[in-house]
Coordinates of all heavy atoms in Angstrom, one line a residue:
D25 N 102.0 99.4 66.4 CA 103.3 99.6 65.7 C 103.9 100.9 66.3 O 103.3 101.9 66.2 CB 103.1 99.7 64.3 CG 104.4 99.9 63.5 OD1 105.5 99.8 64.2 OD2 104.4 100.2 62.4
T26 N 105.0 100.8 66.9 CA 105.7 101.9 67.5 C 106.8 102.3 66.6 O 107.5 103.4 67.1 CB 106.1 101.6 69.0 OG1 107.1 100.6 68.9 CG2 105.0 101.2 69.8
G27 N 107.1 101.7 65.6 CA 108.3 102.0 64.8 C 109.6 101.4 65.2 O 110.6 101.6 64.6
H28 N 109.5 100.6 66.3 CA 110.7 99.9 66.8 C 110.6 98.5 66.3 O 109.8 98.1 65.5 CB 110.6 99.9 68.3 CG 110.9 101.3 68.9 ND1 112.1 101.8 69.4 CD2 110.0 102.4 69.0 CE1 112.0 103.0 69.8 NE2 110.7 103.4 69.6
E29 N 111.7 97.7 66.7 CA 111.8 96.4 66.1 C 110.6 95.5 66.4 O 110.2 94.8 65.6 CB 113.2 95.8 66.7 CG 113.4 94.3 66.2 CD 114.6 93.8 66.8 OE1 115.4 94.5 67.4 OE2 114.9 92.6 66.6
A30 N 110.1 95.6 67.6 CA 108.9 94.8 68.0 C 107.8 95.7 68.3 O 108.0 96.8 68.9 CB 109.3 94.0 69.2
P31 N 106.5 95.3 67.9 CA 105.4 96.1 68.3 C 105.1 96.0 69.7 O 105.7 95.2 70.5 CB 104.2 95.4 67.5 CG 104.8 94.0 67.3 CD 106.2 94.1 67.1
A32 N 104.3 97.0 70.2 CA 104.0 97.0 71.7 C 102.6 96.6 71.9 O 101.7 96.8 71.1 CB 104.2 98.4 72.2
V33 N 102.3 95.9 73.0 CA 100.9 95.5 73.4 C 100.5 96.5 74.5 O 101.1 96.7 75.5 CB 100.9 94.1 74.0 CG1 99.5 93.8 74.5 CG2 101.3 93.1 72.9
I34 N 99.4 97.2 74.2 CA 98.8 98.2 75.1 C 97.5 97.5 75.7 O 96.8 96.7 75.0 CB 98.5 99.5 74.5 CG1 97.6 99.4 73.3 CG2 99.8 100.1 74.0 CD1 97.1 100.7 72.7
E35 N 97.1 98.0 76.9 CA 95.9 97.7 77.4 C 94.8 98.8 77.4 O 95.1 99.9 78.1 CB 96.1 97.2 78.9 CG 97.1 96.2 79.2 CD 96.6 94.8 78.7 OE1 95.5 94.6 78.3 OE2 97.5 93.9 78.6
R36 N 93.9 98.7 76.6 CA 92.9 99.8 76.5 C 91.9 99.7 77.6 O 91.1 100.7 77.7 CB 92.2 99.8 75.1 CG 93.2 99.8 73.9 CD 92.6 99.9 72.6 NE 92.0 101.2 72.4 CZ 91.4 101.7 71.2 NH1 91.7 100.9 70.2 NH2 90.9 102.8 71.3
G37 N 91.9 98.7 78.3 CA 91.0 98.5 79.4 C 91.8 98.1 80.7 O 92.7 98.7 81.0
A38 N 91.2 97.0 81.2 CA 91.8 96.6 82.6 C 93.3 96.2 82.4 O 93.7 95.6 81.5 CB 91.0 95.3 83.0
E39 N 94.1 96.6 83.4 CA 95.5 96.5 83.2 C 96.2 95.8 84.3 O 96.9 94.8 84.1 CB 96.2 97.9 83.0 CG 97.6 97.9 82.8 CD 98.1 98.9 81.7 OE1 97.2 99.5 81.2 OE2 99.3 98.9 81.5
F40 N 96.2 96.4 85.5 CA 97.1 95.9 86.6 C 96.5 94.7 87.3 O 95.4 94.6 87.8 CB 97.5 96.9 87.6 CG 98.2 98.1 86.9 CD1 97.6 99.3 86.6 CD2 99.6 97.9 86.6 CE1 98.3 100.3 86.1 CE2 100.3 98.9 86.0 CZ 99.6 100.2 85.7
V41 N 97.4 93.7 87.5 CA 97.1 92.5 88.4 C 97.8 92.7 89.7 O 99.0 92.6 89.6 CB 97.5 91.2 87.7 CG1 97.2 90.0 88.5 CG2 96.8 91.1 86.3
L42 N 97.2 92.8 90.7 CA 97.8 93.2 92.1 C 97.7 92.1 93.0 O 97.1 91.0 92.8 CB 97.1 94.5 92.6 CG 97.1 95.6 91.6 CD1 96.3 96.8 92.2 CD2 98.6 96.2 91.4
D43 N 98.2 92.3 94.2 CA 98.1 91.3 95.2 C 96.6 91.1 95.5 O 95.9 92.0 95.6 CB 98.9 91.7 96.5 CG 100.4 91.7 96.3 OD1 100.8 91.0 95.4 OD2 101.2 92.2 97.2
G44 N 96.3 89.9 95.9 CA 94.9 89.5 96.3 C 94.0 89.0 95.1 O 92.9 88.6 95.3
Y45 N 94.6 89.0 93.9 CA 93.9 88.5 92.7 C 93.9 87.0 92.7 O 94.4 86.5 91.6 CB 94.4 89.2 91.5 CG 94.0 90.5 91.2 CD1 94.0 91.5 92.2 CD2 93.7 91.0 90.0 CE1 93.6 92.8 91.9 CE2 93.3 92.2 89.6 CZ 93.3 93.2 90.6 OH 92.9 94.5 90.4
D46 N 93.5 86.3 93.7 CA 93.6 84.9 93.8 C 92.9 84.1 92.7 O 93.3 83.2 92.1 CB 93.2 84.4 95.2 CG 94.1 85.1 96.3 OD1 95.3 85.4 95.9 OD2 93.7 85.3 97.3
S47 N 91.6 84.6 92.5 CA 90.7 83.9 91.6 C 91.3 84.0 90.1 O 91.3 83.1 89.3 CB 89.3 84.5 91.6 OG 88.7 84.2 92.9
M48 N 91.8 85.2 89.8 CA 92.3 85.4 88.5 C 93.6 84.6 88.3 O 93.8 84.0 87.2 CB 92.7 86.9 88.3 CG 93.1 87.2 86.9 SD 93.3 89.0 86.6 CE 93.9 89.1 84.9
R49 N 94.4 84.5 89.3 CA 95.7 83.7 89.2 C 95.2 82.2 89.0 O 95.9 81.5 88.4 CB 96.5 83.8 90.4 CG 97.2 85.2 90.6 CD 97.9 85.3 91.9 NE 98.4 86.7 92.1 CZ 99.7 87.1 91.7 NH1 100.5 86.2 91.1 NH2 100.1 88.3 91.8
R50 N 94.2 81.8 89.6 CA 93.8 80.4 89.4 C 93.3 80.1 88.0 O 93.6 79.2 87.4 CB 92.6 80.1 90.4 CG 92.0 78.7 90.1 CD 91.0 78.3 91.3 NE 90.3 79.4 91.8 CZ 89.2 79.9 91.2 NH1 88.8 79.5 89.9 NH2 88.5 80.9 91.7
L51 N 92.7 81.1 87.3 CA 92.2 81.0 85.9 C 93.5 81.1 85.0 O 93.5 80.5 84.0 CB 91.2 82.0 85.6 CG 89.8 81.9 86.2 CD1 88.9 83.0 85.7 CD2 89.3 80.5 86.0
L52 N 94.5 81.9 85.4 CA 95.6 82.0 84.6 C 96.4 80.6 84.7 O 96.9 80.2 83.6 CB 96.6 83.0 85.1 CG 96.1 84.5 84.9 CD1 97.0 85.5 85.7 CD2 96.1 84.9 83.5
A53 N 96.4 80.0 85.8 CA 97.1 78.7 85.9 C 96.2 77.6 85.1 O 96.9 76.8 84.4 CB 97.2 78.2 87.4
L54 N 94.9 77.7 85.1 CA 94.1 76.8 84.4 C 94.4 76.9 82.9 O 94.3 75.9 82.2 CB 92.7 77.1 84.7 CG 91.6 76.3 83.9 CD1 91.6 74.9 84.3 CD2 90.2 76.9 84.0
T55 N 94.6 78.2 82.4 CA 94.8 78.4 81.0 C 96.4 78.4 80.5 O 96.6 78.6 79.4 CB 94.2 79.7 80.5 OG1 94.6 80.8 81.4 CG2 92.7 79.6 80.7
G56 N 97.2 78.2 81.5 CA 98.7 78.2 81.2 C 99.3 79.5 80.9 O 100.2 79.5 80.1
L57 N 98.7 80.5 81.4 CA 99.2 81.9 81.1 C 100.1 82.4 82.3 O 99.8 82.0 83.5 CB 98.1 82.9 80.9 CG 97.2 82.6 79.7 CD1 96.0 83.5 79.6 CD2 98.0 82.7 78.4
D58 N 101.0 83.3 82.0 CA 102.0 83.8 83.0 C 101.8 85.2 83.2 O 101.4 86.0 82.4 CB 103.4 83.5 82.6 CG 103.8 82.0 82.5 OD1 103.3 81.3 83.3 OD2 104.5 81.6 81.4
L59 N 102.2 85.7 84.4 CA 102.2 87.1 84.7 C 103.6 87.7 84.6 O 104.6 87.0 84.8 CB 101.7 87.4 86.1 CG 100.2 87.1 86.4 CD1 100.0 87.3 87.9 CD2 99.4 88.1 85.6
I60 N 103.7 88.9 84.2 CA 105.0 89.6 84.1 C 105.0 90.8 85.0 O 103.9 91.4 85.3 CB 105.4 90.0 82.7 CG1 104.4 91.0 82.1 CG2 105.6 88.8 81.7 CD1 104.8 91.7 80.9
D61 N 106.1 91.1 85.5 CA 106.3 92.3 86.4 C 106.4 93.5 85.5 O 107.2 93.5 84.6 CB 107.5 92.2 87.3 CG 107.4 93.2 88.5 OD1 107.0 94.4 88.2 OD2 107.8 92.8 89.6
T62 N 105.7 94.6 85.8 CA 105.8 95.8 84.9 C 107.0 96.6 85.3 O 107.3 97.7 84.5 CB 104.6 96.7 85.1 OG1 104.4 97.1 86.5 CG2 103.3 95.9 84.7
G63 N 107.8 96.3 86.3 CA 109.0 97.1 86.7 C 108.7 98.4 87.3 O 109.5 99.2 87.7
M64 N 107.4 98.7 87.6 CA 107.0 99.9 88.2 C 105.8 99.5 89.2 O 105.3 98.4 89.2 CB 106.5 101.1 87.3 CG 105.5 100.6 86.2 SD 103.8 100.2 86.7 CE 103.2 101.9 87.2
S65 N 105.5 100.4 90.2 CA 104.5 100.1 91.1 C 103.3 101.0 90.9 O 103.5 102.2 90.9 CB 105.0 100.2 92.6 OG 103.9 99.9 93.4
Y66 N 102.1 100.4 90.7 CA 100.9 101.2 90.6 C 100.7 102.1 91.8 O 100.2 103.3 91.7 CB 99.7 100.2 90.6 CG 98.3 100.8 90.8 CD1 97.7 101.4 89.8 CD2 97.9 100.9 92.2 CE1 96.4 102.0 90.1 CE2 96.7 101.6 92.5 CZ 96.0 102.1 91.3 OH 94.8 102.7 91.7
Y67 N 101.2 101.8 93.0 CA 100.9 102.5 94.1 C 101.8 103.8 94.4 O 101.4 104.7 95.1 CB 101.1 101.7 95.4 CG 100.3 100.4 95.3 CD1 100.8 99.1 94.8 CD2 98.9 100.4 95.7 CE1 100.1 98.0 94.9 CE2 98.3 99.3 95.7 CZ 98.8 98.0 95.2 OH 98.0 96.8 95.2
V68 N 102.8 103.9 93.6 CA 103.8 105.0 93.9 C 103.8 105.8 92.6 O 104.3 105.4 91.6 CB 105.2 104.5 94.2 CG1 106.2 105.6 94.4 CG2 105.2 103.6 95.4
R69 N 103.4 107.2 92.8 CA 103.3 108.1 91.7 C 103.9 109.4 92.2 O 103.3 110.0 93.2 CB 101.9 108.3 91.1 CG 101.3 107.0 90.9 CD 99.8 107.2 90.6 NE 99.0 105.9 90.7 CZ 97.7 105.9 90.6 NH1 97.0 106.9 90.5 NH2 97.1 104.7 90.7
A70 N 104.8 109.9 91.4 CA 105.3 111.3 91.8 C 104.2 112.3 91.3 O 103.4 112.0 90.4 CB 106.6 111.6 91.1

């Protein structure tokens, strides 16, 4: 609960799904789950 209209989902463990995650994508398709873009890039940090 963040106090905003909708609660937030946090990842306390594994987080980023990157290029090359072919086996994971296959299991996501098997279970009917979708990926979302985080709008930032794991690779670029100031």
Side-chain angles (χ1 to χ4, degrees):
D25 180 13
T26 61
H28 294 258
E29 180 179 353
V33 177
I34 61 173
E35 304 293 351
R36 302 189 67 170
E39 183 139 357
F40 295 106
V41 179
L42 305 171
D43 287 349
Y45 281 42
D46 300 329
S47 299
M48 184 173 180
R49 289 173 184 269
R50 177 170 34 77
L51 290 182
L52 290 170
L54 176 69
T55 53
L57 298 175
D58 297 318
L59 292 174
I60 59 170
D61 196 321
T62 61
M64 45 76 67
S65 179
Y66 163 88
Y67 304 98
V68 180
R69 310 169 196 173

